[in-house]
Amino acid sequence: MIKAVLFDLFGTVIAYGDIEAGTREAWDGILDALRVLGADPPYEAFAADWQAQFITPLRPEEDTEETPFLGKVLRLFRSYGLPEDRDVALQGVNACISAWDRHLALPDDVVPTLRALRERHAVALVSNFDHPPYVRRLLARLELAQHFDPILISGELRIDKPDPRIFARALDAVGCAPEEALFVGDSLDTDIGGARAVGCRAVLIDMQGHHPDYGGERIAALGELIGLVEC
């Protein structure tokens, strides 16, 4: 019996628009910050450098800023031999996130689905995101925070999916065993793989058809989840 439903955020509750255009515009915000400090690499070289910084966790001695995102931008500055200008780094972070935000949307079926699920289940959010203040603002702006209890953000916990510890935190918070929880996410590795590794039932949401060969439980829109939860 399913007692709790756990959700990823981006690509699951929040839909992507043109992800390639959104990524390019967002990364341009970081590149502009480099230019302010005097570096002007070609976009392709910069994108490879920034992607490497973005996906590489901060070492404990590097993780001294409010958010991992800010710490990674400052680490990027160091890699180019630039001063660790926190104000410029914050400008880059904000420009990046603002650009990305313009390519996100809330599907019409999300709120009705969350309301229906909360009538019978605990509902939690477990999101990988390196700049938690933005997630908190986004949830407030879209009036989504009220539908989740608890809300776990990797950048606050310094634990990223698929690390089992973040799933364990969520399960403890909703008071159920792994086999009593269903996790919904759009990433095969961080969401589906991570949830399965701790013993949760996992459902892939694939809004844009990126995983046609996936053979497990899947949905194309969140509204389709209700029938699966009751199975």
Side-chain angles (χ1 to χ4, degrees), residues 160-227:
D160 295 319
K161 295 176 291 181
D163 190 315
R165 292 176 297 167
I166 196 167
F167 293 95
R169 293 275 193 101
L171 293 169
D172 286 346
V174 296
C176 72
E179 61 272 16
E180 297 172 321
L182 182 150
F183 193 95
V184 188
D186 69 312
S187 168
L188 293 179
D189 295 327
T190 59
D191 294 324
I192 304 305
R196 284 179 170 172
V198 298
C200 294
R201 182 179 165 192
V203 174
L204 175 72
I205 182 166
D206 191 6
M207 298 184 195
Q208 299 182 350
H210 292 309
H211 305 290
D213 298 327
Y214 179 71
E217 286 188 288
R218 62 185 300 145
I219 55 177
L222 212 63
E224 300 172 15
L225 183 64
I226 300 298

Side-chain angles (χ1 to χ4, degrees), residues 12-27:
T12 301
V13 174
I14 302 294
Y16 298 125
D18 186 336
I19 192 168
E20 291 186 5
T23 299
R24 175 62 190 253
E25 291 176 26
W27 274 192

Side-chain angles (χ1 to χ4, degrees), residues 2-175:
I2 296 298
K3 294 183 179 179
V5 184
L6 316 179
F7 290 91
D8 170 54
L9 181 58
F10 297 102
T12 301
V13 174
I14 302 294
Y16 298 125
D18 186 336
I19 192 168
E20 291 186 5
T23 299
R24 175 62 190 253
E25 291 176 26
W27 274 192
D28 277 344
I30 305 298
L31 179 55
D32 286 344
L34 287 179
R35 289 170 174 155
V36 168
L37 296 179
D40 192 12
Y43 179 82
E44 291 74 14
F46 152 76
D49 292 340
W50 171 235
Q51 181 69 11
Q53 296 287 353
F54 187 69
I55 66 175
T56 302
L58 295 168
R59 298 191 303 272
E61 63 271 21
E62 297 173 320
D63 192 5
T64 59
E65 298 296 331
E66 176 188 0
T67 73
F69 200 118
L70 180 57
K72 289 176 180 180
V73 174
L74 290 170
R75 187 174 64 184
L76 177 72
F77 289 176
R78 292 195 298 272
S79 76
Y80 278 86
L82 300 172
E84 295 181 45
D85 190 314
R86 191 174 184 275
D87 290 338
V88 174
L90 276 172
Q91 291 172 16
V93 168
N94 291 331
C96 175
I97 289 175
S98 293
W100 182 245
D101 184 79
R102 292 193 291 272
H103 290 266
L104 303 177
L106 181 66
D108 292 339
D109 61 351
V110 168
V111 170
T113 300
L114 295 176
R115 284 176 176 161
L117 288 171
R118 281 180 64 88
E119 292 178 0
R120 300 181 63 180
H121 309 278
V123 177
L125 185 70
V126 187
S127 175
N128 274 4
F129 204 81
D130 276 346
H131 199 66
Y134 167 68
V135 175
R136 297 288 180 179
R137 292 194 302 269
L138 178 67
L139 294 174
R141 188 179 85 218
L142 298 177
E143 299 183 343
L144 288 174
Q146 61 188 309
H147 300 293
F148 299 105
D149 186 20
I151 295 169
L152 285 77
I153 306 170
S154 65
E156 291 178 346
L157 300 176
R158 271 33 179 200
I159 306 171
D160 295 319
K161 295 176 291 181
D163 190 315
R165 292 176 297 167
I166 196 167
F167 293 95
R169 293 275 193 101
L171 293 169
D172 286 346
V174 296

